[in-house]
Amino acid sequence: MEKSYKEIMPQITTFMFDVDGVLTNGIVHISTTGELTRAMNTKDGYALKTAIDLGYNICIISGGVNEGVRSRLSNLGIKDIYLGAHKKIVQFEKYLNDKNIKPEEILYMGDDIPDYPVMKRVALPCCPKDAVAEIQEISSYISHFKGGFGCVRDVIEQVLKVQGKWNGKFDAKYD
């Protein structure tokens, strides 16, 4: 019998995310000068920062190359950011080897076909509510939130709650 996503969450030490369609809503705005811009949810940012502060590994693997994305994520404290990753499995393997991490410790959230090979390798493949059908089919958990609208916060918060690291752990920091 296959484990439920809640049974896998206690072993998660590493969160991996795609950008477009996960950390953003997948819409790219094009300015008159040709600049591509995206929007990210601050609640997702808070959850990412919280996970980093608690010692979790965070890795971003995206096919996009927008340096504004790198800047935003770096400012949250994320160090492992792979942009321009058209074969995400290559960066995934490199990250595992460099950090000595096992696939059984990883939650990966993706939304489209380029995420498929990595999602087939991790313990907890997840996706936003509006992911493509092929990704939803292989996901152990489908967030109730769409990409860019809190799906990252959703999965991080759930893992931290299952591991007893979310509720009441931040009071002193914000008093």
Side-chain angles (χ1 to χ4, degrees):
M1 188 168 140
E2 207 171 298
K3 287 184 178 182
S4 75
Y5 72 93
K6 290 273 187 182
E7 293 174 304
I8 298 168
M9 286 181 171
Q11 69 199 32
I12 298 302
T13 65
T14 303
F15 295 98
M16 300 179 97
F17 299 101
D18 176 31
V19 173
D20 292 321
V22 174
L23 282 162
T24 76
N25 64 5
I27 295 172
V28 176
H29 297 276
I30 306 166
S31 74
T32 56
T33 62
E35 181 184 5
L36 305 179
T37 61
R38 297 155 173 84
M40 291 186 180
N41 191 305
T42 58
K43 289 182 177 79
D44 288 343
Y46 174 77
L48 287 163
K49 178 77 173 115
T50 298
I52 290 167
D53 290 348
L54 290 170
Y56 290 85
N57 302 305
I58 305 285
C59 179
I60 306 298
I61 304 177
S62 175
V65 294
N66 186 298
E67 287 303 315
V69 168
R70 183 186 309 277
S71 176
R72 163 70 177 148
L73 297 172
S74 293
N75 286 338
L76 292 172
I78 300 171
K79 294 178 176 57
D80 300 304
I81 303 168
Y82 298 92
L83 300 181
H86 300 293
K87 290 191 177 196
K88 295 181 180 189
I89 197 74
V90 172
Q91 283 74 22
F92 172 78
E93 295 292 346
K94 178 179 177 3
Y95 183 76
L96 264 60
N97 289 332
D98 290 351
K99 301 287 184 176
N100 195 26
I101 297 170
K102 297 179 183 84
E104 299 82 35
E105 304 172 65
I106 300 173
L107 177 154
Y108 183 96
M109 181 174 263
D111 73 308
D112 209 343
I113 301 304
D115 302 305
Y116 193 97
V118 174
M119 292 178 72
K120 291 295 286 181
R121 291 278 321 277
V122 301
L124 189 52
C126 302
C127 69
K129 175 176 153 175
D130 56 345
V132 298
E134 295 87 348
I135 296 301
Q136 289 190 24
E137 287 172 13
I138 64 167
S139 292
S140 297
Y141 176 73
I142 300 171
S143 176
H144 300 287
F145 298 93
K146 292 181 178 180
F149 291 95
C151 63
V152 170
R153 166 73 176 257
D154 177 32
V155 294
I156 291 175
E157 186 174 331
Q158 283 196 56
V159 168
L160 271 54
K161 282 180 177 177
V162 164
Q163 294 183 6
K165 297 179 181 178
W166 185 262
N167 289 332
K169 301 297 182 194
F170 312 108
D171 294 342
K173 201 188 244 187
Y174 298 103
D175 285 344

